[in-house]
Each structure stands twice: as C-alpha cells, then as structure tokens.
Amino acid sequence: MPAHSSPKASHSHAPHRSTPTVQCQACTLRCGPSFRQLSRRELRLVSGMKRRDITLAAGADVFAQGAASSFIYTLYEGWAVRVRTLPGGERQILDFVLPGDLIGLAGYLLGSSPYSVQALTPLRLCVLDGTRLPALFRTEPDLAMALMVARTREQQRGDTRLTLLGRLGASERIGYLLLELRERLRSRGLFEGQSCAFPVQRRLLADTVGLSKAHLMRALRQLREQGLANLSDSVLTIPDARKLARFSGYFLAPSKEQHPIL
Amino acid sequence: MPAHSSPKASHSHAPHRSTPTVQCQACTLRCGPSFRQLSRRELRLVSGMKRRDITLAAGADVFAQGAASSFIYTLYEGWAVRVRTLPGGERQILDFVLPGDLIGLAGYLLGSSPYSVQALTPLRLCVLDGTRLPALFRTEPDLAMALMVARTREQQRGDTRLTLLGRLGASERIGYLLLELRERLRSRGLFEGQSCAFPVQRRLLADTVGLSKAHLMRALRQLREQGLANLSDSVLTIPDARKLARFSGYFLAPSKEQHPIL
DNA sequence: CGGCTTCTTGATCAAGGTCAACCTTTGTGG
DNA sequence: CCACAAAGGTTGACCTTGATCAAGAAGCCG
C-alpha cells in the first residue's frame, strides 16, 4: 500500500494550437500496414471531425481526471499514460498510450473522464470533435465495429494487467509488461531488433506494476542479472523475448491486430 | 503470489437447451427502470438474434477460456464471473456478471475468448447469434452507441479494480469491491436495505482481490469487527454504506446508469 | 454415520514497503 | 568552465503485510 505526494506538474491544456497541418489523407500513421485502411467516405467523415493538431510537452496533461470534454484524440507521436489518482494521492497507471491509439472516448461517452492522460514524451496529437461520433456510427457501421474491437482489445489488456497484479510476483509482472509493450511497439513498426527507447521513469513503472520504487529496483536488478531484460538510460533491451516470455508466463501471440484509428 | 490447484469442475456447455420460452418482448428484465428501452424496430432485430434460452447449474462454464464462439449471451438471472486462468493454474477473477449483463462479446469479436465465464449460482441466459451483430450495427446505430457506452463502463470498472490491487490494502480492497457490487445490484433493484444474498465463496473472493484465502479471512474479520461489513452464510450486510465508503476510499456515485441490454 | 468440502484461525516465514543514504546525471548561474 | 542544486537512480537495513502450512469446526451428501 504505497503512497506518495506527487508534484503534479499538470499544465492545463491550452497549448501550441494550430489549424490542421497534417491532413488525414496524408497521415503517415494510417498508411502503415498495421492500421485499418479507411474507405474514401470514412476518411472524409473522419477528416471532418478533425479540429486541429496540437503538440504537448513531456509531463503535460492531455486531459485531467474528472474533466468533461467533447473532444477525443488520436495520438500521432510520442508516449503517454492513462493514470488514475486516488483521493489519498496514490497513483495507478492504467495503461500506456502509443501512437495510433484513440484517447478520451470514455470522457466523452461517460460525461467525465475517470482518468487523466499524461504525456511521457513530447506529444503530437489530433483533436477530434466527439459530438460527431453518433453521426459516424450512423453512416459507418464497419468503422463502429472496428472501434468496438479495438476497445475490446484494450479491455483485454486491462484484464491481463489485473491478472498480473493479482497473481504474479514482482519480476514476472515487470517482464510481462515489458513484453506486452514490445509487442505493441512491434506491431506498429516502432521496435526493431533487441532494443528501443523506453521513456518511462522508475517511479512511473512502479506505479504501473503496483510496487514501491525500491522494490521495483530489486526486481529490475534480478531481470538484469538473469539476462532477461535490461533497462538503463531510458533504453530497454530484451535479448531473448522467448526466454523472458517463458519466465513471466507471457503468451507470445503473433497478433495481426489492425488498429482502427480515428 | 498465491498459487493453487483448482479442481476445475468445468462442464462443457451443452446443457438444458430449449426454444425460447421467454420472448424478448415480455422480458421482465428489460422492462425494469434501469434498462434502456428499445424501440420497436430494435426489439424486433434483437428478438431475431435470439436463438434460445438455457439454464446452467452453479459451477458450470458458460464458455471456456480460449473457446471460439459465434454466440453472445445475456444473463437473465443468477450470478457469474469472468475468470482468467494462467498456465500455472493460478486464477484471477476479472469481474462479476450480474443480471442484464452481456457476455461473450470479446470471444466473438476477437475470435477466441481471453477468459472463461463461470456460474456462481444456477443461471438463466439468452443465447444470441453474434453473427447478426454487424447487421445490428448497420441499422441501429443508437443501440451500437449504447453498447459502446456499456463497454466503456465495464472497462472503467476494470480500471478501478486495477487501482485497487495496485494501490490499496487488503481490507480497503474488499470494502471497495463490496460497495461496488452493492451499487450494481441496487441499480438493478436487486439490493434493498442493508443485506443481500451473496453467493461468493471465500476462495473466489480471494482470487478477486488478489489475496490468499487465509488473509482474506483476516481482512473480513477486521471489517466485521469495525462494523463496516459482515459476510456470513452467503449473506452480505453493510450497515452503513457511507462509513464503509469513507473507509475504503469509494466514490459513492448516484449512478443513473442505464443498461443497454442485448 | 463417515467422508467430503468449505470456513476459520493460529504459527511461521517470505515478499514487499519504508526510510535513509549515497551516487549519477542534468541543468543553471556565476 | 566550474560550482552547486535539483531530480532521478540505486542500494542497504529494517519492519509490515500478506502467503503458507497446518489443523480444528461446521455444514452437506451418500
């Protein structure tokens, strides 16, 4: 039951705004093989939902817990986290948000966001008008289904995280989490070979796997000494994913997931 | 990091089948105030998806982890759980399924269910043809949106559970969970006053909150001795919900949620 | 009445939290 | 360019929480 007094460097979001510089049609993200291709008509509608793109500094909030918003966002570049803060100040990272992910749907659908989204690195994101979503559902049922599938996958990830915290030991949790991130990055073409940039501070990682910072260090050391995973200087190295998977009980699925985007 | 060898009394599901005895139009569940009213056309379509109702014995599986199925289900009566089993045999309860909840969507959308659903009590459920779902999305966008909202709420519950396991102590976790269940039951008119039937074995509860059975007992004792909650003979009593909420950090939300059903 | 399973509790031990110190790195002003 | 401060990383010593094991009590069924 750890606790900490977070410095809470949350800028309220009214940052570098701009009229759309990246047109949806030219979005390099969506052209990648790992994303669902939109029909011309879908693209036009989604394009019409787009209000602007914004850039955020590392550490900034995309939106805050409890906020109501009619905007939803697509992360274009950078890493972020969904985080929930308890009344007592404790913090739990719910999930990592990677390029191509949609965020803020819950805030829009539920009227108030049950979590914050915070930037881990500088971010570029598209701001979309959520109020157009019902119209989108009306005319583009396939896209709606795709969104539903993406949501389901996200939920499944949450279920996995829950299982991790409930039933696995410290090192296994971390190993599992690292592998999962690796897979998500790979499926977007953001992880090649054995290493990748990993802009996640220890404290944050601890708040993800439900450990104290000190104990997280011990577990990381164990992983390092066993040659399973190495995390230093914000670079993650996994020499042998299969070995790590065996250690942490991960199911290494090929995962031909197609991200629906927007 | 608890572990146990589960006896695994999983009947494969081929039970008391019957042609629909309860017509959707006459479904007492959906007539309750806590459920979204369907339009005539929606009702006709949903009705057309219904294949039969079934009854399952307590302990039976509605479907098993890893199974592919084109069926989805609506729970009509009884309690069930979504449960994930790890290769090592450890078990994590992901969520409770209560009357009115839809189950099996993930299994259909993802091609294989990442969890089992097990009956805690005798169950009555409706079996729906999932393959009609895209058609439903095509003609009933409002219903699709409602489904999305329900999914989002479910995910939010998962997030909360995660926060519980990651950041709260044993008794707080349990208190929170009990309150959450109480609210869900109340919103369906299944919990009046201070007590309700609570058909959940200790072992299962332990697997929900990520504790060992022995430690769960200690935590329950503490709740009992402090007059916060009492669980005995499968009856849950919460004398003062507000007090328990204060103790466990629960947000007692009025929650006018409308379940979308089917 | 056994023979089951579940509930309950105590004794003991390991996993993980807390605290405090020290070491890096990075950044800043002189 | 250096001195210093601030923030994060790393580790050890110690203590709390919760896991494990064991064993008795209580309900349930053949």
Side-chain angles (χ1 to χ4, degrees), chain B residues 166-186:
Chain B
R167 302 272 79 119
L168 258 44
S171 318
E172 286 89 343
R173 283 184 215 179
I174 299 169
Y176 202 113
L177 181 75
L178 295 181
L179 278 175
E180 188 198 89
L181 275 170
R182 193 186 95 117
E183 281 312 299
R184 287 178 71 196
L185 289 169
R186 276 164 59 94

Side-chain angles (χ1 to χ4, degrees), chain A residues 21-54:
Chain A
T21 53
V22 182
Q23 287 303 318
C24 292
Q25 290 77 1
C27 181
T28 58
L29 244 187
R30 70 169 70 259
C31 297
S34 42
F35 290 92
R36 177 175 178 278
Q37 292 306 312
L38 299 193
S39 74
R40 184 154 316 182
R41 206 181 55 193
E42 286 171 339
L43 197 51
R44 186 160 43 77
L45 268 166
V46 169
S47 226
M49 289 174 71
K50 178 161 178 176
R51 286 288 159 271
R52 56 179 180 274
D53 9 294
I54 61 176

